[in-house]
Amino acid sequence: QVQLVESGGGLVQVGGSLRLSCAASTFSSYAMGWFRQAPGKEREFVAVIAWSGGSTYYADSVKGRFTISRDNVKKTVYLQMNSLKPEDTAIYYCAVRRYTIHTYYDARDYAYWGQGTQVTASS
């Protein structure tokens, strides 16, 4: 069982930046992902990073603005979010990509979800 705790969310002006952190109780050789869920919408994929950190993938909606990274010594995954837009407003969750049955952006491959952290981009 892996416990994940997200932090770093908050209220930011449109165009601003936030850095989310996801601290894990234990790290195995799994990829880690970030997802988000806006009110009234389904949870959607944001980004994923391989165990080595050498491979990253992003949703088209955040590509070029968000950067995922990880520190395996600190057992922490980060999501640097720049140029935030109102449509980025959501609860952000990190998760372990426990399986590789589906695609990297399919939430069914992920387990051990955190409790989420709220991000609000407002003008």
Side-chain angles (χ1 to χ4, degrees), residues 45 47-50 53-58 67-69 104:
F45 168 79
V48 64
I49 185 167
S55 296
T56 57
Y57 298 94
Y58 298 90
T67 302
I68 189 171
S69 61
Y104 62 82

mmCIF file of all heavy atoms in Angstrom, residues 45 47-50 53-58 67-69 104:
data_model
loop_
_atom_site.group_PDB
_atom_site.id
_atom_site.type_symbol
_atom_site.label_atom_id
_atom_site.label_comp_id
_atom_site.label_asym_id
_atom_site.label_seq_id
_atom_site.Cartn_x
_atom_site.Cartn_y
_atom_site.Cartn_z
ATOM 1 N N PHE A 45 -6.557 13.013 -17.465
ATOM 2 C CA PHE A 45 -5.108 12.894 -17.397
ATOM 3 C C PHE A 45 -4.440 14.246 -17.612
ATOM 4 O O PHE A 45 -4.888 15.046 -18.448
ATOM 5 C CB PHE A 45 -4.648 11.908 -18.469
ATOM 6 C CG PHE A 45 -3.169 11.888 -18.705
ATOM 7 C CD1 PHE A 45 -2.319 11.221 -17.849
ATOM 8 C CD2 PHE A 45 -2.628 12.553 -19.803
ATOM 9 C CE1 PHE A 45 -0.953 11.209 -18.076
ATOM 10 C CE2 PHE A 45 -1.267 12.540 -20.043
ATOM 11 C CZ PHE A 45 -0.417 11.872 -19.175
ATOM 12 N N ALA A 47 -0.476 14.553 -16.740
ATOM 13 C CA ALA A 47 0.916 14.251 -17.088
ATOM 14 C C ALA A 47 1.349 12.966 -16.398
ATOM 15 O O ALA A 47 0.767 12.563 -15.394
ATOM 16 C CB ALA A 47 1.836 15.395 -16.671
ATOM 17 N N VAL A 48 2.391 12.356 -16.946
ATOM 18 C CA VAL A 48 2.965 11.150 -16.350
ATOM 19 C C VAL A 48 4.468 11.178 -16.539
ATOM 20 O O VAL A 48 4.971 11.752 -17.518
ATOM 21 C CB VAL A 48 2.349 9.875 -16.984
ATOM 22 C CG1 VAL A 48 2.683 9.766 -18.460
ATOM 23 C CG2 VAL A 48 2.789 8.619 -16.219
ATOM 24 N N ILE A 49 5.184 10.597 -15.594
ATOM 25 C CA ILE A 49 6.639 10.543 -15.665
ATOM 26 C C ILE A 49 7.098 9.130 -15.323
ATOM 27 O O ILE A 49 6.606 8.512 -14.379
ATOM 28 C CB ILE A 49 7.283 11.582 -14.723
ATOM 29 C CG1 ILE A 49 8.808 11.606 -14.900
ATOM 30 C CG2 ILE A 49 6.892 11.340 -13.261
ATOM 31 C CD1 ILE A 49 9.455 12.822 -14.228
ATOM 32 N N ALA A 50 8.046 8.630 -16.102
ATOM 33 C CA ALA A 50 8.592 7.304 -15.864
ATOM 34 C C ALA A 50 9.421 7.274 -14.585
ATOM 35 O O ALA A 50 9.814 8.316 -14.059
ATOM 36 C CB ALA A 50 9.467 6.891 -17.055
ATOM 37 N N GLY A 53 12.498 9.117 -14.800
ATOM 38 C CA GLY A 53 12.343 10.529 -15.115
ATOM 39 C C GLY A 53 12.697 10.853 -16.559
ATOM 40 O O GLY A 53 12.561 11.997 -16.992
ATOM 41 N N GLY A 54 13.129 9.846 -17.291
ATOM 42 C CA GLY A 54 13.576 10.085 -18.647
ATOM 43 C C GLY A 54 12.462 10.254 -19.657
ATOM 44 O O GLY A 54 12.692 10.779 -20.742
ATOM 45 N N SER A 55 11.272 9.794 -19.331
ATOM 46 C CA SER A 55 10.142 9.912 -20.240
ATOM 47 C C SER A 55 8.992 10.626 -19.549
ATOM 48 O O SER A 55 8.638 10.299 -18.422
ATOM 49 C CB SER A 55 9.666 8.530 -20.695
ATOM 50 O OG SER A 55 10.666 7.870 -21.440
ATOM 51 N N THR A 56 8.429 11.585 -20.250
ATOM 52 C CA THR A 56 7.269 12.308 -19.742
ATOM 53 C C THR A 56 6.254 12.480 -20.868
ATOM 54 O O THR A 56 6.638 12.580 -22.054
ATOM 55 C CB THR A 56 7.649 13.696 -19.203
ATOM 56 O OG1 THR A 56 8.307 14.446 -20.245
ATOM 57 C CG2 THR A 56 8.592 13.586 -18.009
ATOM 58 N N TYR A 57 5.000 12.494 -20.492
ATOM 59 C CA TYR A 57 3.920 12.707 -21.462
ATOM 60 C C TYR A 57 2.908 13.655 -20.839
ATOM 61 O O TYR A 57 2.687 13.628 -19.627
ATOM 62 C CB TYR A 57 3.259 11.382 -21.838
ATOM 63 C CG TYR A 57 4.205 10.410 -22.498
ATOM 64 C CD1 TYR A 57 4.869 9.442 -21.750
ATOM 65 C CD2 TYR A 57 4.460 10.475 -23.866
ATOM 66 C CE1 TYR A 57 5.753 8.553 -22.340
ATOM 67 C CE2 TYR A 57 5.340 9.589 -24.465
ATOM 68 C CZ TYR A 57 5.986 8.637 -23.703
ATOM 69 O OH TYR A 57 6.871 7.771 -24.294
ATOM 70 N N TYR A 58 2.310 14.470 -21.706
ATOM 71 C CA TYR A 58 1.382 15.487 -21.237
ATOM 72 C C TYR A 58 0.093 15.474 -22.045
ATOM 73 O O TYR A 58 0.085 15.119 -23.232
ATOM 74 C CB TYR A 58 2.016 16.876 -21.356
ATOM 75 C CG TYR A 58 3.251 17.063 -20.533
ATOM 76 C CD1 TYR A 58 4.512 16.777 -21.053
ATOM 77 C CD2 TYR A 58 3.177 17.527 -19.220
ATOM 78 C CE1 TYR A 58 5.657 16.943 -20.289
ATOM 79 C CE2 TYR A 58 4.309 17.707 -18.444
ATOM 80 C CZ TYR A 58 5.552 17.401 -18.992
ATOM 81 O OH TYR A 58 6.688 17.574 -18.227
ATOM 82 N N THR A 67 5.093 21.165 -16.301
ATOM 83 C CA THR A 67 6.255 20.281 -16.314
ATOM 84 C C THR A 67 6.180 19.331 -15.125
ATOM 85 O O THR A 67 6.060 19.777 -13.983
ATOM 86 C CB THR A 67 7.562 21.074 -16.239
ATOM 87 O OG1 THR A 67 7.631 21.989 -17.339
ATOM 88 C CG2 THR A 67 8.767 20.134 -16.298
ATOM 89 N N ILE A 68 6.256 18.046 -15.407
ATOM 90 C CA ILE A 68 6.276 17.036 -14.356
ATOM 91 C C ILE A 68 7.711 16.604 -14.103
ATOM 92 O O ILE A 68 8.512 16.493 -15.044
ATOM 93 C CB ILE A 68 5.387 15.822 -14.728
ATOM 94 C CG1 ILE A 68 5.235 14.864 -13.545
ATOM 95 C CG2 ILE A 68 5.913 15.108 -15.967
ATOM 96 C CD1 ILE A 68 4.199 13.761 -13.784
ATOM 97 N N SER A 69 8.048 16.397 -12.843
ATOM 98 C CA SER A 69 9.378 15.938 -12.485
ATOM 99 C C SER A 69 9.275 15.083 -11.230
ATOM 100 O O SER A 69 8.214 15.033 -10.592
ATOM 101 C CB SER A 69 10.324 17.119 -12.261
ATOM 102 O OG SER A 69 9.854 17.933 -11.195
ATOM 103 N N TYR A 104 -1.162 5.183 -21.106
ATOM 104 C CA TYR A 104 -0.641 5.940 -19.968
ATOM 105 C C TYR A 104 -1.607 7.008 -19.472
ATOM 106 O O TYR A 104 -1.488 7.497 -18.360
ATOM 107 C CB TYR A 104 0.705 6.587 -20.313
ATOM 108 C CG TYR A 104 0.648 7.595 -21.444
ATOM 109 C CD1 TYR A 104 0.251 8.906 -21.218
ATOM 110 C CD2 TYR A 104 1.003 7.234 -22.739
ATOM 111 C CE1 TYR A 104 0.198 9.824 -22.245
ATOM 112 C CE2 TYR A 104 0.958 8.147 -23.770
ATOM 113 C CZ TYR A 104 0.546 9.433 -23.519
ATOM 114 O OH TYR A 104 0.485 10.343 -24.540
#
